[in-house]
Amino acid sequence: MTGVLRPGHVQLRVLDMEAGVHHYRDILGMQETGRDAEGRVYLKCRDEFDHHSIILRETDQAGMDFVGFKVLDLPTLDDFEKKLQAYGVETHRIAAGDLLETGERVRFTTPSGHQVELYAEKTLVGNGCGDTNPKPWDPKVTHGISPVRMDHLLLFGPNVPETLKLFTEVLGFNLVERVLGPDGETNIIVFLSCSIKSHDIAFAHYDEPGKLHHVSFLMDSWEQVLRGGDIMSMEDVPVDIGPTRHGVTRGQTIYAWDPSGNRFEIFKEDRQPYPDHPPLTWTLDGLGAGGGLDYVQRKLHETFLSVVT
Amino acid sequence: MTGVLRPGHVQLRVLDMEAGVHHYRDILGMQETGRDAEGRVYLKCRDEFDHHSIILRETDQAGMDFVGFKVLDLPTLDDFEKKLQAYGVETHRIAAGDLLETGERVRFTTPSGHQVELYAEKTLVGNGCGDTNPKPWDPKVTHGISPVRMDHLLLFGPNVPETLKLFTEVLGFNLVERVLGPDGETNIIVFLSCSIKSHDIAFAHYDEPGKLHHVSFLMDSWEQVLRGGDIMSMEDVPVDIGPTRHGVTRGQTIYAWDPSGNRFEIFKEDRQPYPDHPPLTWTLDGLGAGGGLDYVQRKLHETFLSVVT
Amino acid sequence: MTGVLRPGHVQLRVLDMEAGVHHYRDILGMQETGRDAEGRVYLKCRDEFDHHSIILRETDQAGMDFVGFKVLDLPTLDDFEKKLQAYGVETHRIAAGDLLETGERVRFTTPSGHQVELYAEKTLVGNGCGDTNPKPWDPKVTHGISPVRMDHLLLFGPNVPETLKLFTEVLGFNLVERVLGPDGETNIIVFLSCSIKSHDIAFAHYDEPGKLHHVSFLMDSWEQVLRGGDIMSMEDVPVDIGPTRHGVTRGQTIYAWDPSGNRFEIFKEDRQPYPDHPPLTWTLDGLGAGGGLDYVQRKLHETFLSVVT
Amino acid sequence: MTGVLRPGHVQLRVLDMEAGVHHYRDILGMQETGRDAEGRVYLKCRDEFDHHSIILRETDQAGMDFVGFKVLDLPTLDDFEKKLQAYGVETHRIAAGDLLETGERVRFTTPSGHQVELYAEKTLVGNGCGDTNPKPWDPKVTHGISPVRMDHLLLFGPNVPETLKLFTEVLGFNLVERVLGPDGETNIIVFLSCSIKSHDIAFAHYDEPGKLHHVSFLMDSWEQVLRGGDIMSMEDVPVDIGPTRHGVTRGQTIYAWDPSGNRFEIFKEDRQPYPDHPPLTWTLDGLGAGGGLDYVQRKLHETFLSVVT
């Protein structure tokens, strides 16, 4: 158990802001909650309480600028900053207000080459259902594919074992599942949780650092995953894999690409691991023919290991 | 509206009876209801009232021997026999008892080269739920993938337009959906219903006559389709396509193969067409990139047009 | 098998048109397709092809004016008119155009005291999905509870056996399920199908003639039934029974009331009966303690037999 | 964030062991994992890794003997023991092996009069899916209603505010939702989470101490909740409320009673609260007419506040 709550925001690079906003707001169905002086656009999912979970920045190369994890409170933030520094990780503070409605952030670089940050404060705007005798969901913010929340990320880069060590030993994440490399020993993909979610973040080996494999959005049900797939088809969103079940994490999934080529996932969670259970292990063959990636098809789709941003 | 009720039985050729029975009884979850002197094995689905819907015959080439449609009653059977003969179709009677618990059958060959038969009588064995204050389903016969019923077939062969004409003009089927060939005019696949099912039978153009594309089994829900896919994966049933939605008929589907290579489908129906509505039309491009076959993926899986038995 | 396709329209009496339109259009999610010179409002469900299925008429007493069944074509309409007259039922023709976009109707009164009519022609306006390479559903017409179609009715009145006889012998309906009265012999509720729907219309014994128990709207899934219940709750629609499963017909259901006190149902169908299967029988005790009305709760909700309009 | 993982076992008193085992093993579908010298029977749900989650003890009065929470490890157990004592709570140790396959337990009495214990060690027997390239679920242990896990409890007794204080200040639970009493200020029901589950335990005001309202079992989907209700009906399990949605926690639910009169719930979770979100508040009226108990029916079922064991 740790003081890291969840991945709270991801800044995505998009090649065309208008197309990006259309995708995340109108097709995926997030709410636009703000734009800043740099032209960045902020969005949230329908059941998120915080001001935003996705930030879009227009530039000429797709990918992820950074992912931020919300921690319990300011003392917890200070504590993690010290622990990171004691572990030998260089950190720096980004001032409150650099992101709209967001407090100070502690930024560091992972061994996999990703910019990760921790923060304790972001304005709670609520989910529209009210605090007293609340509705279960708010029809006014329910449109498009309509995920519950931004849920987790899979990042590609080098030094997976070192990154795993950092997240487990310093940040208190649990290793929930893992894929072993050809040597049958080295972790080449690790799925990490700071809660009882099947994963809050995952890292896979890739020679180039700092790459994004996908950002995942949580759906309420397998029925809603198909409905999301229908909408992708109607809206000409290119689909990569699915609908199917992942063997790894058991999640029910569709992978697709946003207009800039950033992969995203809609998925229904189907497992809640606890830290007293040993991690599940997948062999490299298990990832493909064993159904780790696609449990129904039992095949390793070629794009899975090769297409990142 | 016609006196043909539904496809009531299909005789499948299997290369190994033990493997075939294991597949249809233990994995798919049908009940074995009899074996005859020729060694054929009879099976029914959990919510079927008739004695059997699938008959397995062991031989050295996979495929379908014949499909039988149940008609309302004996006068209807006689009437269709006369209509077929008047239309110029040669028919012959097969004696009652040739198939277990089944009355006389009127057999003919379609222009597509398939053996089709009509019959009016088969012993009702019930669904195990009782006739008075019945249960909604019977746990005692619910195991494996557990489809509701054998639902429809897709057959491949030549002379699709002539076959369409026979089924609509003589047997009273409705053309519900169709796929046009490269000329934009000729029907190369036709989906036909004798009820308000999205299809009771379909025919696709193929040079070789008498081929089976798939036999389809109805599932209660999209959730049950995935559960069926999980079971296929656990049981090493090779999966062809899905889970996904067909654009054509909107069905939610997985295609897979039995141990002899006969394709079968588990599907959830999502459309009830009526005969006063004009048929829906798919272009050849619409079948692939338009999502006719795979609405989410919008691609024409190579096996769809090439693998038959 | 018969030439009657389905219940195609129901004219409901509402006490306040504005409230009625708000209910059926904004909460239930039907589309308003027209208003006529008499002030009647016409609505259709999202997957209906015909111009309308519900007509609202404002007056000072709730209930149903009439239900119309669409038949296959004009010769079928003439044929049924003759059969009804030969059976001793008085009929009269209502001119085309009396209802918007609707052809001539043949009206008669059932022994249960209900106005029933047959018609063959109504303008097809489509479901918004297109006829070529169609979408599976149209987001533009998907809002509110969003039923697929108006599906069936349960009507209360005297002379159930005579009404059953009329519908089966003259109109060709099948008796699918029935509830026996205290004598264990008389049918006091009958469920009738003119297709393979679990019921197209049902009649229950009631001393007063011409009463409406409920109009039912079809939902895609049990998940959509709950979502509909959520919306009813948010919109202060008073709910009568459910969500639960009916033992009779196996339907998954919520009963509720429109602002005028007309009961309506949203339900997911879970049975497709064929005319070669004997009807299922429920005892009076089976309707309550046997789960006929509420399979999970196994009780006879008091409102079921007493509240009608 | 706390070191308490989850409610790990509940010892229930049953009036007839054979009937109790039949209920939990054969109808609910748990696996029997052991019987001890005292005659107690141990059971686990299909996706639980620990040796057992329910212990049945035969005696002449129904109810709950105790509930045990698993903590992260032995140092955490010692730590909580000290914190409880420092807070003024009397604790005592129960020796390892008193419960089969279970380590030392630290027992205390809550202000509400319930026996609660903490423990760190219980033999992991697994879920049958394997640790390497695991299956998503194991057909061999999937039968009956088949819940995923024992999930949470609602306990009735006095001193709710003091019990809340103990669980939040000493054990680190979060107050997720609460129901206010007639004075509009006092918490009369509190829902507490030690994770991101919508609740791990809840307490409601009741004059008599130490009462059990219900033990809840997690289901995979709303479809599985109805299937569970079907099985209850077939097996003559008396149902209290549902299927419906709770407004509080949004859970999709059926309440029913075991043969001894202990209420149990099958439910699908629909909310994952985080500790940085303020608790949701329900007024007493909101619990009933506001949909807190039954969101669709918006009524306070009389049994909810009055029937406990």
Side-chain angles (χ1 to χ4, degrees):
Chain A
M1 296 296 168
T2 174
V4 182
L5 297 175
R6 61 184 172 274
H9 58 237
V10 176
Q11 183 163 307
L12 293 175
R13 295 189 299 267
V14 295
L15 307 182
D16 179 287
M17 183 58 82
E18 194 176 346
V21 169
H22 176 63
H23 177 80
Y24 288 95
R25 185 189 60 197
D26 304 332
I27 299 176
L28 198 56
M30 300 179 77
Q31 291 92 56
E32 183 182 326
T33 54
R35 299 199 178 207
D36 67 17
E38 297 176 47
R40 293 182 297 189
V41 178
Y42 296 68
L43 303 114
K44 72 178 284 290
C45 295
R46 66 177 164 84
D47 202 32
E48 290 173 327
F49 284 71
D50 293 322
H51 179 264
H52 59 267
S53 58
I54 294 289
I55 306 135
L56 303 180
R57 182 173 73 88
E58 189 179 81
T59 181
D60 58 0
Q61 187 175 9
M64 180 190 83
D65 281 332
F66 56 82
V67 53
F69 287 88
K70 194 171 190 187
V71 301
L72 187 58
D73 50 23
L74 287 174
T76 304
L77 184 64
D78 294 344
D79 189 47
F80 277 123
E81 186 179 39
K82 288 189 197 103
K83 282 182 180 163
L84 284 163
Q85 291 168 353
Y87 190 78
V89 174
E90 195 175 342
T91 68
H92 70 279
R93 289 247 170 180
I94 300 170
D98 173 78
L99 285 178
L100 291 185
E101 307 287 336
T102 307
E104 272 195 308
R105 293 131 64 202
V106 172
R107 174 81 65 87
F108 61 97
T109 303
T110 63
S112 58
H114 295 92
Q115 298 294 304
V116 173
E117 55 191 36
L118 308 178
Y119 67 98
E121 296 181 326
K122 187 180 290 181
T123 304
L124 286 172
V125 297
N127 65 355
C129 295
D131 295 328
T132 303
N133 302 336
K135 286 178 287 204
W137 50 279
D138 182 5
K140 288 194 303 297
V141 297
T142 303
H143 65 276
I145 294 173
S146 197
V148 173
R149 67 177 180 223
M150 190 270 285
D151 191 84
H152 66 265
L153 296 92
L154 172 54
L155 304 178
F156 271 41
N159 306 316
V160 167
E162 291 78 2
T163 307
L164 168 64
K165 198 163 181 291
L166 173 66
F167 271 80
T168 53
E169 297 190 5
V170 183
L171 300 176
F173 282 59
N174 301 302
L175 174 62
V176 173
E177 306 201 26
R178 60 182 180 162
V179 181
L180 300 180
D183 64 3
E185 283 183 26
T186 313
N187 293 319
I188 59 161
I189 317 182
V190 293
F191 298 83
L192 296 158
S193 179
C194 56
S195 62
I196 56 169
K197 283 165 59 181
S198 61
H199 45 331
D200 284 289
I201 196 161
F203 291 94
H205 177 78
Y206 196 70
D207 288 337
E208 201 178 342
K211 293 312 221 180
L212 171 68
H213 187 274
H214 72 266
V215 183
S216 183
F217 296 89
L218 182 68
M219 305 300 294
D220 272 334
S221 69
W222 173 235
E223 181 171 320
Q224 294 301 308
V225 171
L226 178 60
R227 186 181 165 281
D230 286 342
I231 293 175
M232 291 178 197
S233 183
M234 291 180 201
E235 298 283 353
D236 293 320
V237 174
V239 171
D240 178 19
I241 297 177
T244 191
R245 180 198 288 283
H246 292 309
V248 183
T249 80
R250 300 185 195 164
Q252 299 157 16
T253 181
I254 296 176
Y255 281 164
W257 287 285
D258 81 4
S260 302
N262 295 307
R263 191 190 277 101
F264 70 101
E265 179 185 39
I266 59 172
F267 100 117
K268 160 65 171 54
E269 187 163 61
D270 195 27
R271 185 182 175 218
Q272 291 194 323
Y274 276 93
D276 59 328
H277 300 157
L280 299 176
T281 299
W282 295 83
T283 61
L284 192 53
D285 189 58
L287 182 65
L293 175 61
D294 185 337
Y295 192 71
V296 180
Q297 292 277 343
R298 287 188 175 265
K299 69 181 177 197
L300 192 56
H301 300 254
E302 182 274 334
T303 52
F304 179 75
L305 293 176
S306 60
V307 179
V308 292
T309 56
Chain B
M1 296 293 167
T2 172
V4 182
L5 298 175
R6 62 182 173 274
H9 58 238
V10 175
Q11 182 163 309
L12 293 174
R13 296 188 299 266
V14 295
L15 307 182
D16 179 287
M17 183 57 82
E18 194 177 344
V21 169
H22 176 62
H23 176 81
Y24 288 96
R25 185 188 61 196
D26 304 333
I27 299 175
L28 198 57
M30 300 181 76
Q31 291 92 55
E32 182 182 326
T33 55
R35 299 197 178 209
D36 68 17
E38 296 176 46
R40 295 183 295 189
V41 178
Y42 296 67
L43 303 113
K44 72 179 282 291
C45 295
R46 67 177 164 83
D47 201 34
E48 290 173 328
F49 285 72
D50 293 323
H51 180 264
H52 59 267
S53 58
I54 294 288
I55 307 134
L56 303 180
R57 181 172 74 88
E58 188 179 83
T59 181
D60 57 1
Q61 187 175 10
M64 180 191 84
D65 281 333
F66 55 82
V67 53
F69 287 88
K70 194 170 188 187
V71 301
L72 186 60
D73 51 23
L74 287 174
T76 304
L77 183 64
D78 294 343
D79 188 47
F80 277 122
E81 186 180 38
K82 287 189 197 102
K83 282 181 179 163
L84 283 163
Q85 290 168 354
Y87 189 78
V89 174
E90 195 173 341
T91 69
H92 69 278
R93 292 246 170 181
I94 299 169
D98 173 78
L99 286 177
L100 291 185
E101 307 288 337
T102 307
E104 272 195 309
R105 293 131 65 202
V106 172
R107 174 80 64 87
F108 61 97
T109 304
T110 64
S112 58
H114 296 92
Q115 298 294 304
V116 173
E117 54 191 36
L118 308 178
Y119 66 97
E121 296 181 327
K122 188 182 290 183
T123 304
L124 286 172
V125 297
N127 65 354
C129 294
D131 296 327
T132 304
N133 302 336
K135 287 179 287 205
W137 50 279
D138 182 4
K140 288 193 304 296
V141 298
T142 303
H143 65 277
I145 294 174
S146 198
V148 173
R149 67 178 179 221
M150 190 271 284
D151 190 85
H152 66 264
L153 296 92
L154 172 54
L155 304 178
F156 272 41
N159 305 316
V160 168
E162 292 78 3
T163 307
L164 169 64
K165 196 162 183 290
L166 173 65
F167 272 79
T168 52
E169 296 189 5
V170 183
L171 300 175
F173 282 59
N174 301 303
L175 175 62
V176 173
E177 305 199 27
R178 59 183 180 159
V179 180
L180 300 180
D183 64 2
E185 282 183 27
T186 313
N187 293 319
I188 60 162
I189 316 181
V190 293
F191 299 83
L192 296 159
S193 178
C194 57
S195 61
I196 56 170
K197 284 165 60 181
S198 61
H199 45 330
D200 285 290
I201 196 161
F203 291 94
H205 176 77
Y206 197 71
D207 288 338
E208 202 178 340
K211 292 312 220 178
L212 171 67
H213 186 274
H214 72 264
V215 183
S216 184
F217 296 88
L218 183 69
M219 304 301 293
D220 272 334
S221 68
W222 173 235
E223 180 171 321
Q224 295 300 308
V225 171
L226 177 61
R227 186 180 165 280
D230 286 342
I231 293 175
M232 290 178 196
S233 182
M234 292 180 200
E235 298 284 353
D236 293 320
V237 175
V239 171
D240 179 19
I241 298 178
T244 191
R245 179 197 289 283
H246 291 309
V248 183
T249 79
R250 302 186 195 164
Q252 300 157 15
T253 179
I254 296 176
Y255 282 163
W257 286 286
D258 80 4
S260 303
N262 295 308
R263 191 190 278 101
F264 70 100
E265 179 185 39
I266 59 172
F267 101 118
K268 159 68 170 52
E269 187 163 60
D270 196 26
R271 187 184 172 215
Q272 290 193 324
Y274 276 92
D276 59 329
H277 299 157
L280 299 175
T281 299
W282 295 82
T283 61
L284 193 51
D285 189 58
L287 182 64
L293 176 60
D294 186 337
Y295 192 70
V296 180
Q297 293 276 344
R298 286 188 176 266
K299 70 182 178 195
L300 192 55
H301 300 255
E302 182 274 334
T303 51
F304 180 75
L305 292 176
S306 60
V307 179
V308 293
T309 55
Chain C
M1 296 292 168
T2 172
V4 182
L5 297 175
R6 62 184 173 274
H9 58 238
V10 176
Q11 182 163 309
L12 293 174
R13 295 190 298 267
V14 295
L15 307 183
D16 179 286
M17 184 57 83
E18 195 176 343
V21 169
H22 176 62
H23 176 80
Y24 288 95
R25 184 189 60 197
D26 304 333
I27 299 176
L28 198 57
M30 300 180 76
Q31 291 92 55
E32 184 184 325
T33 55
R35 299 198 177 207
D36 67 18
E38 297 176 46
R40 295 182 295 188
V41 178
Y42 296 69
L43 303 114
K44 72 178 284 291
C45 294
R46 67 176 164 84
D47 201 34
E48 290 173 327
F49 284 71
D50 293 322
H51 180 264
H52 58 268
S53 58
I54 294 287
I55 307 135
L56 303 180
R57 180 172 74 89
E58 188 179 80
T59 181
D60 58 1
Q61 188 176 7
M64 180 190 84
D65 281 332
F66 55 81
V67 53
F69 287 87
K70 194 170 189 187
V71 300
L72 186 58
D73 51 22
L74 287 173
T76 305
L77 183 64
D78 295 343
D79 188 45
F80 276 123
E81 186 180 39
K82 285 188 199 104
K83 282 182 181 163
L84 284 163
Q85 290 169 352
Y87 190 77
V89 174
E90 196 175 339
T91 67
H92 70 278
R93 290 246 170 181
I94 299 170
D98 172 79
L99 285 177
L100 291 185
E101 307 288 337
T102 307
E104 272 196 306
R105 294 131 66 202
V106 172
R107 173 81 65 87
F108 61 97
T109 304
T110 63
S112 59
H114 295 92
Q115 298 294 306
V116 173
E117 55 191 38
L118 308 178
Y119 67 97
E121 297 181 325
K122 188 181 290 182
T123 304
L124 287 173
V125 297
N127 64 356
C129 295
D131 296 328
T132 303
N133 302 337
K135 286 179 287 206
W137 49 279
D138 182 4
K140 287 195 304 296
V141 298
T142 303
H143 65 277
I145 294 173
S146 198
V148 174
R149 67 176 180 223
M150 190 270 286
D151 190 84
H152 67 265
L153 296 93
L154 172 54
L155 303 178
F156 272 41
N159 305 316
V160 167
E162 291 78 3
T163 307
L164 169 64
K165 196 163 184 289
L166 173 65
F167 271 79
T168 51
E169 296 190 6
V170 183
L171 300 176
F173 282 60
N174 300 303
L175 175 63
V176 173
E177 306 200 26
R178 60 182 179 160
V179 180
L180 300 180
D183 65 2
E185 283 184 26
T186 314
N187 292 319
I188 60 162
I189 317 182
V190 293
F191 299 83
L192 296 159
S193 179
C194 57
S195 61
I196 56 170
K197 284 165 60 180
S198 61
H199 45 330
D200 284 289
I201 195 161
F203 290 94
H205 176 77
Y206 197 70
D207 288 337
E208 203 178 340
K211 293 311 219 177
L212 171 67
H213 187 274
H214 72 263
V215 183
S216 185
F217 296 89
L218 183 69
M219 304 302 294
D220 271 334
S221 69
W222 172 236
E223 180 172 320
Q224 294 300 309
V225 171
L226 177 60
R227 186 181 165 280
D230 286 342
I231 293 174
M232 290 179 197
S233 183
M234 292 180 199
E235 298 284 353
D236 293 318
V237 174
V239 170
D240 179 18
I241 297 177
T244 191
R245 178 197 290 282
H246 292 309
V248 183
T249 78
R250 299 185 196 165
Q252 299 158 15
T253 180
I254 295 176
Y255 280 164
W257 286 287
D258 80 5
S260 303
N262 295 308
R263 191 189 278 99
F264 71 99
E265 179 185 39
I266 59 171
F267 100 119
K268 160 67 169 53
E269 188 164 62
D270 195 27
R271 186 182 173 216
Q272 289 193 326
Y274 276 92
D276 59 329
H277 300 157
L280 299 176
T281 299
W282 295 82
T283 61
L284 193 52
D285 190 59
L287 182 64
L293 175 61
D294 185 336
Y295 191 71
V296 180
Q297 292 277 344
R298 287 190 175 264
K299 69 182 177 197
L300 192 54
H301 300 255
E302 182 274 336
T303 51
F304 180 74
L305 292 176
S306 61
V307 179
V308 294
T309 55
Chain D
M1 296 294 167
T2 174
V4 181
L5 297 175
R6 62 183 173 274
H9 58 238
V10 176
Q11 182 162 309
L12 293 174
R13 295 190 299 267
V14 295
L15 307 182
D16 180 287
M17 184 56 84
E18 194 177 343
V21 169
H22 176 62
H23 176 80
Y24 288 96
R25 185 189 60 198
D26 303 333
I27 299 176
L28 199 56
M30 300 180 76
Q31 290 93 56
E32 183 183 326
T33 55
R35 300 199 177 205
D36 67 18
E38 296 176 45
R40 294 182 295 189
V41 178
Y42 296 68
L43 303 114
K44 72 178 283 291
C45 294
R46 66 177 165 83
D47 201 34
E48 290 173 326
F49 285 72
D50 294 322
H51 180 264
H52 59 268
S53 58
I54 294 288
I55 307 134
L56 302 179
R57 180 172 75 88
E58 187 179 81
T59 181
D60 57 1
Q61 189 176 8
M64 180 190 84
D65 281 332
F66 56 81
V67 53
F69 286 88
K70 195 170 190 187
V71 302
L72 187 58
D73 51 23
L74 287 174
T76 304
L77 183 64
D78 295 343
D79 188 45
F80 276 123
E81 187 179 39
K82 288 189 197 102
K83 282 181 180 164
L84 284 163
Q85 291 168 354
Y87 189 77
V89 174
E90 197 174 340
T91 68
H92 69 278
R93 291 245 169 181
I94 300 169
D98 172 78
L99 284 178
L100 292 184
E101 307 287 338
T102 307
E104 271 196 307
R105 293 129 65 200
V106 172
R107 173 81 63 89
F108 61 98
T109 304
T110 63
S112 58
H114 295 92
Q115 298 294 305
V116 173
E117 54 190 38
L118 308 177
Y119 67 96
E121 297 182 327
K122 188 181 288 183
T123 304
L124 287 173
V125 298
N127 65 355
C129 294
D131 296 327
T132 303
N133 302 336
K135 286 180 287 205
W137 49 278
D138 181 6
K140 287 195 304 297
V141 298
T142 302
H143 65 277
I145 294 173
S146 197
V148 173
R149 68 176 179 223
M150 191 271 286
D151 189 85
H152 66 265
L153 297 91
L154 172 54
L155 303 178
F156 272 41
N159 304 317
V160 166
E162 292 78 3
T163 307
L164 168 64
K165 196 163 182 290
L166 173 65
F167 271 80
T168 52
E169 295 189 6
V170 183
L171 300 176
F173 283 59
N174 301 302
L175 175 62
V176 173
E177 307 200 26
R178 59 181 179 161
V179 181
L180 301 181
D183 65 2
E185 284 183 24
T186 313
N187 293 318
I188 59 163
I189 317 182
V190 293
F191 299 82
L192 297 158
S193 178
C194 56
S195 61
I196 55 170
K197 283 164 61 181
S198 61
H199 46 329
D200 284 290
I201 195 161
F203 292 95
H205 177 76
Y206 196 70
D207 288 338
E208 204 179 338
K211 294 312 224 178
L212 170 67
H213 187 275
H214 72 264
V215 183
S216 185
F217 296 88
L218 183 69
M219 305 301 294
D220 273 333
S221 69
W222 172 236
E223 179 171 321
Q224 294 300 308
V225 171
L226 178 60
R227 186 180 166 280
D230 286 342
I231 292 174
M232 290 178 196
S233 183
M234 291 179 199
E235 297 284 353
D236 293 319
V237 174
V239 171
D240 178 19
I241 297 177
T244 191
R245 179 198 288 282
H246 292 310
V248 184
T249 78
R250 300 186 195 164
Q252 300 157 14
T253 180
I254 296 176
Y255 280 165
W257 286 287
D258 80 4
S260 302
N262 295 306
R263 191 190 278 101
F264 70 101
E265 180 186 38
I266 59 171
F267 100 118
K268 159 66 169 55
E269 188 163 60
D270 195 26
R271 187 183 171 217
Q272 290 193 324
Y274 276 93
D276 59 330
H277 299 157
L280 299 176
T281 299
W282 295 82
T283 61
L284 193 52
D285 190 59
L287 183 64
L293 175 60
D294 186 336
Y295 192 70
V296 180
Q297 293 276 345
R298 288 189 175 263
K299 70 182 177 194
L300 192 56
H301 299 254
E302 183 275 335
T303 52
F304 180 74
L305 292 176
S306 60
V307 179
V308 293
T309 55

